[in-house]
Amino acid sequence: MKKREFLTVFLLLLPVLIYFIFLFIYPFIYGLLLSLTNDEGKFTFANFIKFLSDPWDANTIWITLKIAIPATLLNVLIAMPLAYYMRHGIKGEKLISFLLILPITLGSVFVAEGMLTYMGPNGWLNKILLALKIIDKPYRFTHSYLGVLLALIIQGFPFVFLMLLGYISGIDPTLEKAASILGASRWYIFRRIIFPLWMPGIAMATSLNFVMNFTVFPSAVLLGQPSGPTRVISIAAYQWAFEKFDFHMASAIAIIMGLVELIFILIVMLIRQRFFKIVATSGGKG
Amino acid sequence: MRKIKFSGILYWIAIFVYVFNVLGIIFTVVLNSLSKNWYTDWFPKIFTLEWYSYMAKEHDLPQLLFATFAVVISVALISLLIGYPAAYIFARYNFKFKNVLLSLLLVPMLVPPMTYGIPLAAMLYKLRLATRISGVILANLVPIIPYVVLILYPFIEQIDVSYESAARILGASRLRTFVKVLLPLTVPGIFTAALLSIVRTIAMFELTFLVAGPKSQTVIVALYYDAYAAGTRPPQAIDALAVVYFLITVTFLLIALKFASPTQFVYRGK
């Protein structure tokens, strides 16, 4: 690279580099240092030990996993067949996509506020279910585990679906046609061609959706029982930071949050790799 | 005769159930904000606008809207100023660490705001920028700058480089080439990036919530506080604020959809 060219590249990238270092790397290091020190600035693991040894706080990890994992699995399992069905395009695709991105764009606070009325004791959902005689008295959808789970599905399903659709519609349709002409059954085509090619997308969508669900905050407060069964890890971090004003503890919780997310993504990647190996070896034999 | 597919029926049922509930959620918010004494009936019998004036008085609505638009527009403009040159470099030059840099830029988009938001808020409080509009803008830049780069990069890349070369050979300076050739050609990309950033920042609850003070909060954060302290004011007044938020978001969403495809809203880098 010529000197002049190098200068151009460097100067035009400089703003982004400054942004990245000062607004992303530096806060991360700052948080890490906060989590590993006490008020006097001495190095300590006390924040982590305190969080993990206090059942009221440590339990938030399990509570959050118990919400995030089912929500992620449900979203992926509902979205997969739908995206598979829609892979070659479908009638009214534009309208459907618009209706699907609406809850994503509106965000969790609006959806939570809407759900409180819509799914409340006098809300339309209960009225409909009562009229259809599916239930005989108003069912409590909100202020419970179920409320948070429903919120995560309403928000997460379109996200996972559109992402999976993006990946599956990128698979060359001639592969499917060729296999079909050669006499392969639909199930066989799915198992041997579509699924392996789709796997990176599924892994990506699963990881991203889990990470979103694991950091659920407004839905857990507004639609759940934030001082009990839905006291998720974000609530613990928020309370330490803004109710007890202890940013050391809050940063330690944020680091633990990040670690759990990382572990989950590693597990997904590991599963994905195994799948690929199996496909590769059995493909070789066939 | 065409066979009716079982999977097709299941597909439409699933989409119908989902869309029905989402529209139900939105319609209840709108109707509730306009209704009086609506409990057991299917639809409200008396309509009123009193909850809107109640909400506007309680919230200092002009201030709230001013803060929201100040944050949203600043974030979009600053992200474009920082993101455009980077996108240009990624589109036009090949250099060492290019892919490393691109994947690093993905990280702030992939890590959820609640995870990095707490250390970021701690830093902004330490720098005395939190609770101010400037702090809210800085926090919101974190996920938006990479987003803008990743929208603009393919946009610039697909523009034939020979236009620029021709202008240069004919004696135009670098600046003139940029202003007269590249910039006009990338206007649609700039609009897409700006509108998508605006839509995202309006809806960005977590970062604004962690950093904002009473004078710098956006509509979505005000809505959260209202819903959080639900007992203190009539639910219809909370829904009135929700409708204001809804109208702002949907307006920008509809304009954005003129430029962008729906899948770009979930675009997180493939």
Side-chain angles (χ1 to χ4, degrees), chain B residues 33-36 46-56 240:
Chain B
S33 76
L34 292 165
S35 75
K36 201 163 183 171
I46 314 164
F47 286 94
T48 172
L49 282 172
E50 66 181 83
W51 307 116
Y52 284 85
S53 53
Y54 180 100
M55 175 271 299

Side-chain angles (χ1 to χ4, degrees), chain A residues 1 4-5 8-10 12-13 15-17 19-20 22-24 26-28 30-32 34 78 81-82 85-86 90-91 94 96-111 113-119 122-125 127-128 131 153-155 157-159 161-163 165-167 186 204 208 211-212 215-218 221-222 226 234-235 237-238 241-243 247 250-251 254-255 257-258 261, chain B residues 5 7-8 10-12 14-15 18-29 31-32 38-43 81-83 85-86 88-90 93-96 101 104-105 107-108 110-112 114-116 118-126 138 141-143 145-146 149 168 174 199 203 205-206 209-210 220 223-225 227-228 235 238-239 242-243 245-246 249-250 253-254 257 262-263 265-266 268-270:
Chain A
M1 195 183 275
R4 194 186 151 82
E5 207 171 74
T8 317
V9 169
F10 179 74
L12 290 182
L13 282 181
V16 157
L17 292 176
Y19 140 77
F20 195 71
F22 282 94
L23 282 176
F24 197 71
Y26 178 69
F28 175 73
Y30 183 68
L32 197 65
L34 275 181
I78 300 171
L82 293 183
Y85 184 75
M86 215 172 153
I90 198 134
K91 258 189 211 159
K94 258 208 148 140
I96 291 175
S97 326
F98 173 72
L99 291 169
L100 286 178
I101 56 167
L102 208 49
I104 304 179
T105 353
L106 288 171
S108 45
V109 178
F110 180 90
V111 170
E113 168 59 21
M115 279 173 71
L116 284 173
T117 321
Y118 175 72
M119 297 183 175
N122 279 323
W124 274 345
L125 187 62
K127 283 190 181 124
I128 291 167
I153 292 173
I154 288 177
Q155 291 273 300
F157 161 70
F159 175 83
F161 172 73
L162 290 174
M163 231 177 138
L165 188 65
Y167 276 95
R186 285 182 152 228
M204 185 83 171
L208 287 181
V211 161
M212 270 160 66
T215 53
V216 55
F217 180 75
V221 176
L222 299 177
S234 302
I235 296 178
Y238 173 77
F242 295 99
E243 281 170 20
F247 272 115
S251 299
I255 302 276
M257 258 161 100
E261 290 160 17
Chain B
K5 275 189 228 147
S7 56
L10 273 184
Y11 164 81
W12 285 110
I15 293 285
Y18 181 81
V19 167
F20 183 88
N21 283 295
V22 168
L23 292 180
I25 287 170
I26 294 170
F27 279 127
T28 6
V29 170
L31 276 183
N32 201 33
W38 179 30
Y39 303 111
T40 49
D41 300 317
W42 284 92
F43 290 95
L81 281 177
I82 296 179
Y88 174 77
I89 292 294
F90 285 129
Y93 291 87
N94 268 314
F95 52 94
K96 249 191 207 172
L101 214 59
L104 272 180
L105 270 186
V107 179
L110 300 178
V111 181
M114 218 48 204
T115 313
Y116 65 81
I118 295 225
L120 183 69
M123 181 191 93
L124 290 172
Y125 271 97
K126 176 99 181 165
L138 280 178
L141 284 177
V142 177
I145 288 175
V149 174
R168 295 279 288 143
R174 286 188 149 213
V199 171
F205 166 73
E206 283 90 349
F209 173 67
L210 291 175
I220 189 70
L223 181 63
Y224 171 82
Y225 281 121
Y228 179 66
I238 305 174
D239 280 338
V243 170
Y245 167 78
F246 174 76
T249 316
V250 169
L253 175 64
L254 288 174
L257 282 174
T263 38
F265 286 81
V266 288
R268 298 255 189 144
K270 282 179 189 173

Side-chain angles (χ1 to χ4, degrees), chain B residues 121-171:
Chain B
M123 181 191 93
L124 290 172
Y125 271 97
K126 176 99 181 165
L127 296 173
R128 300 189 179 279
L129 287 166
T131 74
R132 294 165 196 241
I133 286 198
S134 54
V136 175
I137 294 170
L138 280 178
N140 276 294
L141 284 177
V142 177
I144 299 295
I145 288 175
Y147 190 54
V148 165
V149 174
L150 291 171
I151 292 171
L152 283 177
Y153 160 41
F155 225 101
I156 300 176
E157 202 176 29
Q158 49 130 25
I159 291 166
D160 198 335
V161 74
S162 53
Y163 292 118
E164 288 152 71
S165 323
R168 295 279 288 143
I169 291 164
L170 292 171

